């Protein structure tokens, strides 16, 4: 299936590994010129090299911490240098896990900056260029816990709920300008972050909870980052030209919602 992405341009944040990397790789494989960002330069550069070698596409990099206005501005300056983008993928790591009321104001502010303000700032930065080129697509990566909250994910749930609200609002405001805005809610995905027993999220669920979470997946396994990337790439592509304002679970069937 031709996703009609040849010659398009995209910026994918949080793309040195995991889901962001898989999305950048798939977009490049479909013919998109990709700008990828993350905080650690070495990993970012080697991710770009891998994608470029695999796809034959030019892959640009820019270092930026999307929790900060400056970090977003760095990324937006690089977007400007490449003449704007057709596609923005908002993705990164996530705030720490733990009981919601255990976090102080500083932690809450950081979560707000990371999960919500980064999406506001990046969207605000790229939309004028999208308008000038006659349209565009914004895809936000959140998590299933945003639509099915669970204990210990309060910082993410609270701030990503704002992202879903923002995406719906932007889909109404930007639809007439042919800019689509959609949000994905992945379930458990096999990335360094999802290795909950020994991964970077040390305060996350232990092995028993991980086994219970796996049992609750109708498809019986974690997702592969490429499976999230396939859906994100479709939503980003012109083939999804009549899809906007949606919030879509990509979770192996865990979500019990009718819609
Ligand atoms: N894996 C899962 O099971 C799963 C499930 C549902 C939702 N999600 C969500 O999907 C997103 C991606 O998850 P993942 O598993 O792919 O994570 P990951 O493997 O930890 O990758 C995160 C990427 O984002 C970058 N990043 C992290 N913090 C950043 C910041 N402040 N500014 C800029 N870049 C930043 C990281 O590079 P640097 O560290 O170099 O910046 C890395 O490239 C997260 O929001 C996660 O919560 C994941």
């Amino acid at each position: 299936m031709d996703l009609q992405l040849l010659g398009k341009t995209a910026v994918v944040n949080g793309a040195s590994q995991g889901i962001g990397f898989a999305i950048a790789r798939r977009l490049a494989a479909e013919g998109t010129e990709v700008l990828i960002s993350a905080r650690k330069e070495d990993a970012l550069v080697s991710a770009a090299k891998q994608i470029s070698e695999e796809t034959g596409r030019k892959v640009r990099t820019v270092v930026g911490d999307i929790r900060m206005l400056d970090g977003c501005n760095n990324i937006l300056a690089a977007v400007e240098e490449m003449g704007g983008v057709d596609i923005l993928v908002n993705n990164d790591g996530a705030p720490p896990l733990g009981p919601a009321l255990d976090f102080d104001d500083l932690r809450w502010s950081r979560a707000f900056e990371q999960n919500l303000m980064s999406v506001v700032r990046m969207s605000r930065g790229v939309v004028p260029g999208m308008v000038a080129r006659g349209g565009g697509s914004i895809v936000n990566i959140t998590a299933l816990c945003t639509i099915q909250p669970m204990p210990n994910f309060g910082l993410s749930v609270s701030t990503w709920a704002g992202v879903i609200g923002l995406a719906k609002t932007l889909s109404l405001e930007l639809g007439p300008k042919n800019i689509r805005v959609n949000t994905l809610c992945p379930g458990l995905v096999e990335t360094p972050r999802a290795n909950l027993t020994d991964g970077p999220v040390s305060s996350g669920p232990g092995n028993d909870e991980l086994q219970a979470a796996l049992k609750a997946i109708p498809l019986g396994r974690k997702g592969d980052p490429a499976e999230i990337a396939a859906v994100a790439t479709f939503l980003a592509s012109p083939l999804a030209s009549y899809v906007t304002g949606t919030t879509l679970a990509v979770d192996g069937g865990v979500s019990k919602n009718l819609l």
Side-chain angles (χ1 to χ4, degrees), residues 192-211:
R193 164 168 298 276
N195 193 355
L196 298 172
T197 48
D198 60 5
V201 189
S202 55
S203 58
N207 201 42
D208 289 351
E209 283 157 300
L210 177 62
Q211 293 311 321

Side-chain angles (χ1 to χ4, degrees), residues 88-154:
L88 163 65
V89 179
N90 288 307
N91 173 69
D92 58 70
L97 304 182
L101 301 183
D102 283 4
F103 294 111
D104 61 16
D105 282 9
L106 180 63
R107 281 292 191 185
W108 273 97
S109 300
R110 282 189 185 155
F112 177 75
E113 295 276 325
Q114 176 162 16
N115 280 4
L116 179 57
M117 284 313 296
S118 64
V119 177
V120 172
R121 289 168 177 150
M122 288 301 305
S123 303
R124 202 167 49 201
V126 302
V127 159
M130 288 179 173
V131 171
R133 52 176 68 216
S137 175
I138 299 174
V139 179
N140 304 315
I141 307 300
T142 64
L144 184 61
C145 66
T146 316
I147 51 175
Q148 290 206 351
M150 42 199 237
N152 294 321
F153 285 80

Side-chain angles (χ1 to χ4, degrees), residues 13-20 37-40 64-67 91-94 114 141-144 160 186-194 200:
N13 290 331
S16 61
Q17 64 175 43
I19 292 170
S37 81
R39 291 167 302 177
K40 297 183 209 88
D65 185 337
I66 54 93
R67 285 173 301 188
N91 173 69
D92 58 70
Q114 176 162 16
I141 307 300
T142 64
L144 184 61
W160 273 333
L188 265 184
V189 184
E190 190 66 66
T191 70
R193 164 168 298 276

Side-chain angles (χ1 to χ4, degrees), residues 10-15 20-21 23-24 27 34-37 87-89 91:
V11 54
V12 184
N13 290 331
F21 173 78
I23 294 172
L27 283 168
V34 184
L35 168 68
I36 62 173
S37 81
I87 296 159
L88 163 65
V89 179
N91 173 69

